[in-house]
Amino acid sequence: MSRLLIKNIKELIQVEEAPRTKVSGKDMAVLPTIKNAWLAIEDDLIVDYGGMDDFPEITDWVGLEIMDVEGQMVMPAFCDSHTHIVFAASREGEFVDRINGLTYEEIAKKGGGILNSAKKLADKSEDELYDSAWQRLQEIKSTGTGAVEIKSGYGLSVDAELKILRVIKRLKDDSDLTIKATFLGAHAIPTEFKENREGYIDLIINEMIPLIESENLADYIDVFCETNYYTPEETSLILEAGIKAGLTPKIHVNQFTSIGGIQVGIKNKALSVDHLEVMTEKDIDDLSKSKVMPTVLPSCSFFLNIPYAPARRLIDNGLPLCLATDFNPGSTPSGNIPFVLSLACINMKMTPEEAINATTINGAYAMDLSKTHGSIAVGKKANIVITKSISSLSYIPYAFGSNVIDKVILNGKL
Ligand code: NIG
Ligand code: FE
């Protein structure tokens, strides 16, 4: 057995006495902490914690390592519930096109965007995709992420979608990050099906989903429900087929237009609805009567220079809120959660406490991981972040762009 005792923690953040699955509304501003604390880990689990005034008396030193982190803080590793990190190539050409005046939608209409990524992915081998995604996992780990959801969606053919999902499965098996897989075959309409969208939807429902079910390749099903992508009716059809195959919906809605995607998500008991840059009063009202986790992606707004989701209005209406990166080559080439915290505080007026709740316990909820991840609690996975020596927890979003993470421990291992 391996045992680790971390002592002299300046502040132990997000401690949880009574288990919660998520936090909502006013509770999001509450982030329980213990100043001057210790934390005990055995193998891959958190087994105890407390204040230094009742530091445990050590009688048994067998296999025990003690780590003194004077001045440093400890918090749960971040849970990033929305990424697309299996992709073939970056798209900085489109970045320059946008600088020169084209919009994201105009670039997509010219065959750029998601279709551009699908074209590049078609020629890549499973090993090549695995290697580049593996590098991205190392990168997000270095900024404190311990659990991540990864979507397919840059394949857009039976072979290529399955190829991506097999890569995600290998990443799941090999990585120390906790990984959830989402099937996003309905990310765009592939060029060959431009005049025959029903044909592609038929392929998703009758070929891709059955194969994914038989190889057990995904946990969730996603659709990009948006003007020029998938209609709410098409979204519903695809989600229903996914649900029959055991996949829970987690969908892209309201990024550019509000066309009823939220209501489709609610009707199909989605775990989360993601993006939400454009929200009507009715959207917010409907969401507040549901159990669906609203998930917002401020680094996508930053990168595309589009409106930020109305996070303040959602929280002030009593809703929970989750923050994620959306790491992908087109709209968010970054998986940096501390940067997301800064954007959430600066541009959406969330407090540091709300932002940390949104990337820990609520991020865990949006991946069905609340029982094991997202807080410091006895019996939960020892997935934790040790910060550098910092003055307060607000320093984390304040010091934007500088990496305040010193060490990451996943499954009890440094
Ligand atoms: O979440 N909005 C849809 N999908 C991705 C971006 C896709 C791309 O541009 O490659 C997103 O932002
Ligand atoms: Fe996305």
Side-chain angles (χ1 to χ4, degrees):
M1 192 189 356
S2 79
R3 295 159 73 214
L4 174 64
L5 186 54
I6 307 176
K7 68 173 190 178
N8 290 324
I9 301 168
K10 184 181 170 110
E11 195 162 353
L12 182 62
I13 299 169
Q14 188 67 303
V15 291
E16 186 179 68
E17 286 297 330
R20 303 158 306 169
T21 55
K22 62 179 172 189
V23 287
S24 309
K26 284 198 172 65
D27 291 342
M28 285 201 64
V30 182
L31 186 66
T33 73
I34 300 176
K35 291 200 166 120
N36 202 18
W38 56 272
L39 176 69
I41 292 169
E42 269 179 23
D43 293 331
D44 61 338
L45 297 179
I46 294 170
V47 291
D48 208 354
Y49 60 82
M52 285 304 291
D53 45 2
D54 65 298
F55 189 66
E57 197 179 319
I58 301 161
T59 49
D60 169 17
W61 286 85
V62 181
L64 179 68
E65 183 193 338
I66 296 198
M67 194 189 271
D68 188 336
V69 297
E70 178 107 50
Q72 300 174 269
M73 300 199 177
V74 170
M75 57 195 270
F78 298 120
C79 297
D80 187 353
S81 67
H82 183 138
T83 80
H84 312 241
I85 62 167
V86 180
F87 58 84
S90 57
R91 292 190 346 230
E92 62 272 29
E94 296 176 11
F95 170 67
V96 177
D97 287 345
R98 281 204 314 282
I99 295 170
N100 289 322
L102 290 185
T103 65
Y104 182 78
E105 291 98 321
E106 284 164 350
I107 292 166
K109 278 212 179 108
K110 285 198 327 181
I114 296 164
L115 296 181
N116 179 1
S117 279
K119 207 180 290 159
K120 287 178 174 153
L121 188 134
D123 306 326
K124 294 275 181 194
S125 70
E126 220 178 280
D127 284 342
E128 287 172 309
L129 291 171
Y130 175 90
D131 289 343
S132 61
W134 182 262
Q135 291 308 319
R136 291 177 200 117
L137 287 183
Q138 306 318 302
E139 188 186 324
I140 65 172
K141 201 159 48 167
S142 74
T143 49
T145 296
V148 63
E149 178 257 20
I150 311 175
K151 300 171 193 297
S152 70
Y154 291 123
L156 308 181
S157 71
V158 179
D159 285 352
E161 283 297 314
L162 273 270
K163 178 165 71 179
I164 300 173
L165 290 169
R166 288 189 192 112
V167 168
I168 302 174
K169 190 166 197 177
R170 279 174 62 192
L171 296 170
K172 260 191 198 188
D173 291 344
D174 300 349
S175 173
D176 48 7
L177 281 119
T178 305
I179 296 176
K180 294 280 185 152
T182 299
F183 169 54
L184 174 56
H187 198 188
I189 302 282
T191 322
E192 4 16 312
F193 286 93
K194 215 170 158 199
E195 305 306 325
N196 175 24
R197 7 184 346 115
E198 304 74 29
Y200 183 62
I201 293 169
D202 184 68
L203 210 61
I204 291 178
I205 293 177
N206 295 311
E207 292 199 37
M208 296 187 201
I209 291 177
L211 284 168
I212 290 163
E213 184 182 18
S214 71
E215 284 188 49
N216 195 12
L217 286 175
D219 305 291
Y220 305 116
I221 179 144
D222 193 350
V223 176
F224 188 15
C225 181
E226 184 58 63
T227 307
N228 296 329
Y229 292 84
Y230 290 84
T231 67
E233 295 71 29
E234 292 167 342
T235 302
S236 233
L237 271 180
I238 296 165
L239 294 186
E240 280 161 26
I243 293 167
K244 279 198 198 117
L247 308 176
T248 303
K250 248 173 101 63
I251 58 176
H252 282 73
V253 298
N254 294 46
Q255 182 177 4
F256 301 107
T257 51
S258 170
I259 56 170
I262 301 234
Q263 289 69 22
V264 169
I266 295 170
K267 189 185 85 192
N268 288 288
K269 299 204 168 58
L271 183 58
S272 68
V273 286
D274 302 27
H275 269 291
L276 316 184
E277 287 86 343
V278 177
M279 294 287 279
T280 65
E281 280 307 318
K282 180 168 165 32
D283 289 333
I284 296 179
D285 198 45
D286 289 347
L287 261 185
S288 61
K289 293 177 198 135
S290 78
K291 291 206 173 83
V292 182
M293 176 63 75
T295 298
V296 307
L297 313 163
S299 43
C300 174
S301 297
F302 171 79
F303 188 72
L304 293 184
N305 222 345
I306 60 173
Y308 284 81
R312 199 61 275 150
R313 261 165 68 210
L314 293 168
I315 297 171
D316 293 344
N317 270 279
L319 281 152
L321 193 93
C322 168
L323 288 163
T325 63
D326 200 15
F327 194 174
N328 76 75
S331 72
T332 323
S334 157
N336 190 314
I337 289 272
F339 183 56
V340 166
L341 296 177
S342 298
L343 291 175
C345 295
I346 297 162
N347 290 312
M348 303 196 303
K349 299 279 178 265
M350 288 173 69
T351 64
E353 289 80 3
E354 287 172 333
I356 291 174
N357 270 318
T359 49
T360 55
I361 189 69
N362 284 0
Y365 180 93
M367 291 189 275
D368 290 308
L369 290 174
S370 301
K371 279 206 184 105
T372 48
H373 292 67
S375 67
I376 304 291
V378 173
K380 278 200 176 182
K381 271 258 176 282
N383 275 20
I384 62 160
V385 160
I386 304 175
T387 70
K388 292 177 181 156
S389 180
I390 57 174
S391 40
S392 74
L393 72 85
S394 299
Y395 185 86
I396 301 167
Y398 157 86
F400 80 92
S402 75
N403 192 1
V404 297
I405 312 285
D406 179 36
K407 295 185 177 70
V408 179
I409 292 178
L410 296 183
N411 309 309
K413 291 201 187 70
L414 192 66

